Amino acid sequence: MRLLRTLVISDVHSNLDALDAVLADAETRDAGGRVFCLGDIVGYNAQPREVIARLRELGAICVAGNHDLAAAGLIGVEEFNAVAAEAALWSGEQLGDDERAYLAGLPLTQVVDDATLVHGSLRDPVWEYLLDRFAAEAQFALQQTRVGFVGHSHIPFAAVDTPGGGTPRPMLDGTRLALSRDRAIVNPGSVGQPRDGDPRASYAVYDDGTQTITWHRVAYDVAAAQRRVREAGLPEVLALRLARGR
Ligand code: ZN
């Protein structure tokens, strides 16, 4: 069997400074030859075109998030809060036709080998925040593969389908999940806008050889990303939250 260390990322949100820090860090761990990207490529931050270009360069296997669909004009921004809506509309204005077509062409779910990729959840790929045991159970009822990767909440966690278990547990920097026969749901956390109080970019490495998933955090140039948000004229709160990791 070909051994692979897949880099798993989500919610990059147009933050190229964070994405490039993740890619460099993942390379030191022999990961990144294959990339799973769980949606919300754009939104909130200031470099949508650059982030799309980087992911295409990498040949990342991506699914669509709510911000991608909004920027592509496929859904409205009525469900977004005011700040998210403003950033989603701004993101859409930055895109060329080719970039808009790329986002519009992303599938809502993808199965790759023994993994399922979706932004929210399988019962509601675009909108559901999978955060508790009940949502995890609903996901396991639909998940055909051993691992299901989700994003959307920006919270790094793992849930394992054991009797009485299934509650998502937060996964800190350096924590590792050994895959067993029990199915798992995994959120790698957010690259571009962490919300668990740790401002460092979050990602995971899915190792086919050792059958493990490991979570990592990497510091990046937050000040540079904040400067770009301000220069773009995006809401100040989007710059401030990067430093707080909220
Ligand atoms: Zn997001």
Side-chain angles (χ1 to χ4, degrees):
M1 188 178 75
R2 190 162 61 109
L3 299 183
L4 275 175
R5 279 188 192 163
T6 303
L7 169 60
V8 186
I9 57 176
S10 190
D11 298 275
V12 179
H13 282 301
S14 301
N15 189 338
L16 186 68
D17 297 291
L19 176 59
D20 280 345
V22 163
L23 293 174
D25 197 62
E27 201 173 299
T28 68
R29 305 179 197 284
D30 279 334
R34 183 170 75 170
V35 180
F36 291 167
C37 169
L38 308 169
D40 280 3
I41 294 167
V42 302
Y44 293 130
N45 295 295
Q47 295 194 281
R49 305 187 67 183
E50 293 83 349
V51 165
I52 290 170
R54 183 72 85 251
L55 292 174
R56 294 177 83 175
E57 249 167 62
L58 293 165
I61 300 168
C62 293
V63 291
N66 48 313
H67 286 259
D68 305 318
L69 297 173
L74 293 184
I75 62 171
V77 293
E78 302 79 24
E79 308 270 324
F80 287 64
N81 68 50
V83 166
E86 183 178 341
L89 295 172
W90 179 88
S91 304
E93 287 162 14
Q94 310 309 308
L95 303 180
D97 290 344
D98 182 51
E99 291 148 344
R100 193 169 293 109
Y102 170 76
L103 293 181
L106 294 173
L108 294 180
T109 64
Q110 276 213 68
V111 172
V112 184
D113 300 333
D114 215 7
T116 303
L117 282 57
V118 65
H119 183 62
S121 72
L122 286 171
R123 66 177 174 179
D124 187 351
V126 179
W127 292 110
E128 182 173 19
Y129 290 95
L130 197 167
L131 283 169
D132 62 23
R133 186 164 65 90
F134 305 102
E137 281 168 5
Q139 175 85 357
F140 284 128
L142 297 170
Q143 183 177 311
Q144 307 283 335
T145 58
R146 182 152 68 142
V147 188
F149 290 107
V150 302
H152 195 43
S153 67
H154 298 208
I155 304 296
F157 72 73
V160 179
D161 188 20
T162 50
T167 301
R169 287 176 297 125
M171 298 301 270
L172 302 175
D173 186 20
T175 49
R176 173 171 299 200
L177 175 73
L179 295 171
S180 60
R181 273 199 306 253
D182 302 316
R183 292 173 304 157
I185 302 166
V186 164
N187 190 322
S190 170
V191 170
Q193 193 194 76
R195 292 182 189 163
D196 60 352
D198 182 345
R200 295 176 299 167
S202 186
Y203 72 95
V205 174
Y206 171 33
D207 189 322
D208 250 4
T210 58
Q211 288 296 312
T212 57
I213 294 167
T214 313
W215 281 255
H216 299 286
R217 302 301 281 257
V218 56
Y220 72 96
D221 192 347
V222 170
Q226 291 179 308
R227 199 165 54 240
R228 294 184 217 282
V229 166
R230 291 177 176 130
E231 281 168 9
L234 287 162
E236 172 67 13
V237 65
L238 293 176
L240 295 175
R241 71 185 301 175
L242 292 176
R244 298 201 316 264
R246 290 283 179 199

